[in-house]
Amino acid sequence: MKANLFRWMVNAWPPLFFAGIKVTYLAADYREAHVTLKLRWYNRNYVGVQYGGSLMSMTDPWYMLLLMHNLGSDYFVWDKHAEIDYVAPGKTHVHAHFKISDETLAEIREKTANGEKYIPEFSVDILDDHDKLVARVKRRVYIKLKPRARAN
C-alpha cells in the first residue's frame, strides 16, 4: 500500500483520531514517520498539560508498523514492551520522530535467520513545540522469521 494512503487511513483510525494523534509524515519506503499530538481541551490532564496516556499512545504502533512494512510478510512482528520516562510537562503540541535504518533491518534479518526470536529496543523522544524534551519512550518489538520462510 502506498504510504500516503496508509497515512490517511491511520489518521482516520478512531483510537488515534479521537486522541488527537496525527501522522504528519510517512516516508514512501516506510522507514520514517513523524507523529504529532495536539494539545486540546479533551486530551489535557487534571493540571492542563498533555495527558500521559496520550503521550504513550502516540508512540504505540510506529516501530511495529515500520518494521512490518520493511520486513514483509515472512516475519512475525509484535509490540512487546514499552516504558516511558516523563521529563517535563507537555504545555504545547508534542512531536515524535520514528526512524528505521538499513543497519537495523540488516541486524534483524541476521539475528532471526535461523528462526530465533529477536527483541530489539528502540528509543524515541517526545519534544514540545520548542524542542524541549517532554518524555522519552523505550519500546521493544518481538520479531521472528515465520517457519515457512526459514532455510532448512
Side-chain angles (χ1 to χ4, degrees):
M1 177 182 305
K2 292 202 180 233
N4 281 338
L5 176 59
F6 185 80
R7 183 173 60 90
W8 182 86
M9 289 173 53
V10 81
N11 281 336
W13 189 43
L16 297 181
F17 179 80
F18 288 112
I21 299 166
K22 184 174 184 177
V23 182
T24 57
Y25 172 76
L26 181 60
D29 62 1
Y30 286 89
R31 297 280 180 98
E32 186 174 357
H34 300 179
V35 178
T36 296
L37 171 61
K38 293 187 175 185
L39 182 61
R40 300 287 191 230
W41 66 269
Y42 55 83
N43 63 8
R44 293 174 191 255
N45 67 15
Y46 187 74
V47 294
V49 298
Q50 290 283 6
Y51 174 63
S54 295
L55 292 171
M56 186 62 131
S57 291
M58 78 180 288
T59 71
D60 187 0
W62 306 112
Y63 283 115
M64 181 187 78
L65 291 172
L66 296 176
L67 289 167
M68 288 174 73
H69 281 272
N70 277 278
L71 293 171
S73 62
D74 287 340
Y75 288 83
F76 296 110
V77 181
W78 294 96
D79 278 318
K80 179 161 179 58
H81 177 84
E83 61 186 70
I84 189 166
D85 181 20
Y86 299 103
V87 177
K91 297 178 181 180
T92 69
H93 301 338
V94 293
H95 317 274
H97 296 176
F98 306 85
K99 192 167 187 168
I100 303 294
S101 68
D102 290 335
E103 295 79 20
T104 298
L105 292 171
E107 181 179 338
I108 289 168
R109 288 183 177 106
E110 177 187 329
K111 300 268 187 186
T112 60
N114 293 318
E116 299 89 0
K117 68 180 176 182
Y118 181 53
I119 304 172
E121 183 174 276
F122 300 92
S123 181
V124 62
D125 290 342
I126 300 174
L127 305 174
D128 69 9
D129 281 340
H130 310 291
D131 289 330
K132 181 179 176 187
L133 183 64
V134 172
R136 178 164 290 132
V137 178
K138 292 181 183 175
R139 302 201 66 91
R140 289 188 213 138
V141 180
Y142 171 97
I143 305 166
K144 189 172 183 177
L145 188 62
K146 292 179 180 177
R148 64 178 163 79
R150 295 179 199 154
N152 291 328

